[in-house]
Amino acid sequence: MLEDVTLTFGQYDLVLNAFSLVIAAFLGTFIYLIGMREQVAKPFRPALLVSAIVLAIAGYHYLRIYGSWEAAFVIDGDTATPSGEPFNNAYRYVDWFLTVPLLVLETIAVLGLAKATKSSLLRKLVPAAALMIALGYPGEITSDNGVRMIWGTLSTIPFLYMLYVLWTELGAALQTQSAVVRTKMRNLRLLLIGTWGVYPIAFLLPVFASEASAGLLVGREVGYALADVLAKALFGILIAGIAIQKTEELGLGSDIDLTEGRRETSNA
Ligand SMILES: *C/C=C(C)/C=C/C=C(C)/C=C/C1=C(C)CCCC1(C)C
């Protein structure tokens, strides 16, 4: 297993500091999103709330991951040797299983789309997100590269399907948005593909490495940590940016009755 390698104290500490950075970034962004809720018009508040929930769920898991990393090694001078207690990778998958569908939900929710369009997108994207993570897990925990590739390939099918829906159907839905919102959404999608692409690459690392090494383990953990900050915290900030822009376009007091597709403005 990748986790069974001896690290230098510096390598061990680098990973611990990366986890610590993630927790701080999630906490700060969580507070920002809660604070921003009052600054955006009502229809966009659920998107900010879902984004805050993602950070709370992921922050909790990072606390567990941090503790698991500490327990997995015994520090002796300049070396960190495996303690015999395995580093628990399952926390990541449980985290993704909950947060990836929610990330999809916040992306769609911030657009204030008509109910039929929104439901159609969510019915496709949310189950695909959950399926992608569920199919990846058996591949992650195996030490057999053949088995890893089979589950990895199966998991890639819903992954590609999601990208396809996000580019085609969501692209079409964006035509009803203002030019500024369209640009912001395009940036959000680029961030999504750029960061989500990191996870399957990290998943494949053990297939390409001839043997488990400290560099590989440290690279994977720091890579996941940075991808998580970008895919959840920075993503949440961009979502807030879209909600603020849409609020500027519609007015803070505006409300959209999404069920009827009507738009009402009051000066509340
Ligand atoms: C905050 C966490 C996020 C955005 C996690 C995203 C994870 C993925 C996009 C994972 C995808 C995978 C594949 C496409 C194939 C191999 C198995 C996975 C689960 C690593």
Side-chain angles (χ1 to χ4, degrees):
M1 285 305 265
L2 193 50
E3 291 80 13
D4 289 338
V5 291
T6 297
L7 307 177
T8 66
F9 179 75
Q11 290 171 325
Y12 164 85
D13 208 35
L14 178 66
V15 172
L16 207 58
N17 287 333
F19 292 164
S20 175
L21 173 81
V22 174
I23 296 166
F26 285 0
L27 193 61
T29 312
F30 175 85
I31 295 171
Y32 168 75
L33 290 168
I34 297 294
M36 282 316 284
R37 260 174 64 81
E38 298 297 306
Q39 312 295 315
V40 307
K42 252 195 199 151
F44 313 117
R45 287 182 196 165
L48 268 61
L49 184 61
V50 172
S51 184
I53 292 170
V54 165
L55 293 165
I57 294 173
Y60 158 75
H61 281 111
Y62 260 91
L63 286 174
R64 306 307 300 246
I65 290 170
Y66 186 100
S68 179
W69 182 259
E70 280 189 308
F73 294 94
V74 179
I75 311 301
D76 182 17
D78 197 32
T79 53
T81 0
S83 66
E85 198 172 315
F87 175 59
N88 190 346
N89 244 321
Y91 288 132
R92 287 201 188 281
Y93 276 77
V94 176
D95 179 67
W96 298 348
F97 189 70
L98 299 170
T99 57
V100 176
L102 290 172
L103 284 167
V104 167
L105 179 59
E106 70 185 68
T107 305
I108 304 301
V110 79
L111 291 172
L113 299 169
K115 195 167 186 248
T117 316
K118 188 171 86 179
S119 320
S120 156
L121 280 162
L122 291 178
R123 263 200 313 274
K124 290 171 185 161
L125 292 169
V126 170
L131 192 65
M132 170 181 80
I133 304 303
L135 290 172
Y137 186 62
E140 184 69 80
I141 56 172
T142 180
S143 44
D144 180 328
N145 278 340
V147 175
R148 178 175 285 262
M149 287 305 292
I150 291 170
W151 289 108
T153 307
L154 290 175
S155 167
T156 304
I157 298 168
F159 178 62
L160 294 178
Y161 173 71
M162 286 170 75
L163 295 184
Y164 173 77
V165 172
L166 284 172
W167 254 261
T168 56
E169 213 170 307
L170 182 64
L174 287 183
Q175 296 313 314
T176 59
Q177 307 284 322
S178 73
V180 182
V181 170
R182 276 208 304 273
T183 307
K184 285 180 185 286
M185 271 308 287
R186 288 208 187 100
N187 293 340
L188 190 78
R189 273 197 316 202
L190 287 179
L191 178 67
L192 189 145
I193 178 110
T195 55
W196 289 29
V198 171
Y199 299 88
I201 293 169
F203 175 92
L204 280 179
L205 283 181
V207 175
F208 295 120
S210 52
E211 58 184 49
S213 72
L216 206 58
L217 176 60
V218 171
R220 185 185 72 181
E221 294 310 317
V222 173
Y224 273 154
L226 295 181
D228 281 340
V229 169
L230 299 175
K232 296 188 172 72
L234 181 60
F235 198 82
I237 293 169
L238 293 194
I239 290 278
I242 293 170
I244 293 164
Q245 172 63 27
K246 291 195 61 97
T247 300
E248 269 169 24
E249 289 170 9
L250 295 173
L252 186 59
S254 72
D255 203 348
I256 300 170
D257 186 337
L258 298 170
T259 325
E260 305 294 328
R262 268 189 289 122
R263 180 172 296 180
E264 295 161 3
T265 308
S266 70
N267 292 318

